[in-house]
């Protein structure tokens, strides 16, 4: 964690930032390796199985759509950044829309260490809140790196509340529900589950048609 490319100054979208933080290099590498060693063989296998069953058009369409989505993720990885200037903070995430927060709205910064299924695998999280306690933006060290989190805290210069005691990710989400990204909402889980069911059902249908020789 913490290996990131973060030049001291840079210009993004016509704005000169005092501090720019980018996603960790290892995140980009792991994403590329995951696609190469898992998604690509799976796509080739699906097309190969579908050819004799005359379903190759449908499967090829699905593969192309997935490839486009993967390409979009790669583009977002290359353009994601956190830019801090005297007037505000700009956050362009990998899968979240770009947003800008006026610097004087940041009243304090909450730092926490969270874990998922195993307490040994923890990650640092940052939540910037306004004077009413409303979350303004949230950053995770597994995307931006520990060094990136530290640089943001230093650059913002707000009061810091640091809880080093690891807490479950669900408890942290309940504590700051408004900081959840769209993909952490319950509706997103339902949609992903439904798509997974459809995909599995489609594969089973293809396999059944092949066995029956239809």
């Amino acid at each position: 964690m913490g290996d990131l490319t973060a030049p001291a100054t840079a210009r993004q979208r016509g704005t000169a930032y005092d501090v720019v933080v980018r996603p960790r290099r290892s995140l980009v590498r792991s994403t590329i390796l995951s696609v190469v060693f898992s998604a690509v063989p799976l796509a080739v296998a699906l097309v190969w199985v579908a050819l004799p069953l005359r379903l190759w058009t449908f499967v090829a369409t699905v593969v192309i759509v997935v490839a486009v989505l993967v390409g979009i993720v790669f583009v977002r990885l290359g353009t994601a950044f956190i830019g801090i200037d005297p007037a505000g903070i700009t956050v362009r995430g990998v899968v979240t829309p770009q947003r800008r927060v006026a610097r004087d709205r940041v009243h304090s910064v909450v730092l926490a260490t969270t874990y998922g299924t195993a307490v040994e695998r923890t990650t640092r999280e940052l939540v910037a809140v306004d004077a009413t306690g409303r979350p303004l933006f949230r950053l995770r060290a597994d995307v931006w790196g520990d060094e990136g989190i530290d640089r943001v805290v230093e650059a913002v210069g707000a009061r810091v509340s640091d809880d080093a005691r690891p807490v479950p990710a669900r408890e942290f989400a309940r504590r700051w529900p408004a900081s959840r990204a769209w993909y952490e909402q319950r509706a997103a889980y339902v949609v992903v589950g439904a798509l997974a069911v459809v995909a599995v059902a489609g594969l089973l249908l293809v396999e059944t048609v092949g066995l029956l020789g239809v």
Side-chain angles (χ1 to χ4, degrees), residues 119-195:
V119 70
E120 294 81 10
R121 300 186 62 178
T122 61
T123 184
R124 295 175 66 202
E125 300 204 31
L126 178 154
V127 177
V129 299
D130 60 17
T132 65
R134 177 184 178 184
L136 300 174
F137 62 87
R138 173 187 169 197
L139 307 175
R140 291 175 56 89
D142 55 1
V143 176
W144 304 103
D146 290 324
E147 182 184 345
I149 296 292
D150 293 335
R151 293 192 65 195
V152 171
V153 171
E154 181 181 359
V156 170
R159 180 173 60 86
V160 178
S161 174
D162 192 354
D163 185 3
R165 177 180 59 88
V167 298
R170 290 184 178 181
E171 178 182 335
F172 184 80
R174 285 194 297 266
R175 187 182 306 174
W176 303 100
S179 69
R180 295 179 181 178
W182 63 266
Y183 55 84
E184 297 174 310
Q185 304 293 333
R186 182 172 300 178
Y189 292 134
V190 173
V191 171
V192 172
L195 292 177

Side-chain angles (χ1 to χ4, degrees), residues 1 34-35 37 39 45 51 53 91 93 106 115-116 140 165 175 182 192 197:
M1 305 291 283
S34 297
V35 172
F37 291 106
L51 283 175
L53 302 178
V91 180
V106 181
Y115 63 90
R140 291 175 56 89
R165 177 180 59 88
R175 187 182 306 174
W182 63 266
V192 172
V197 170

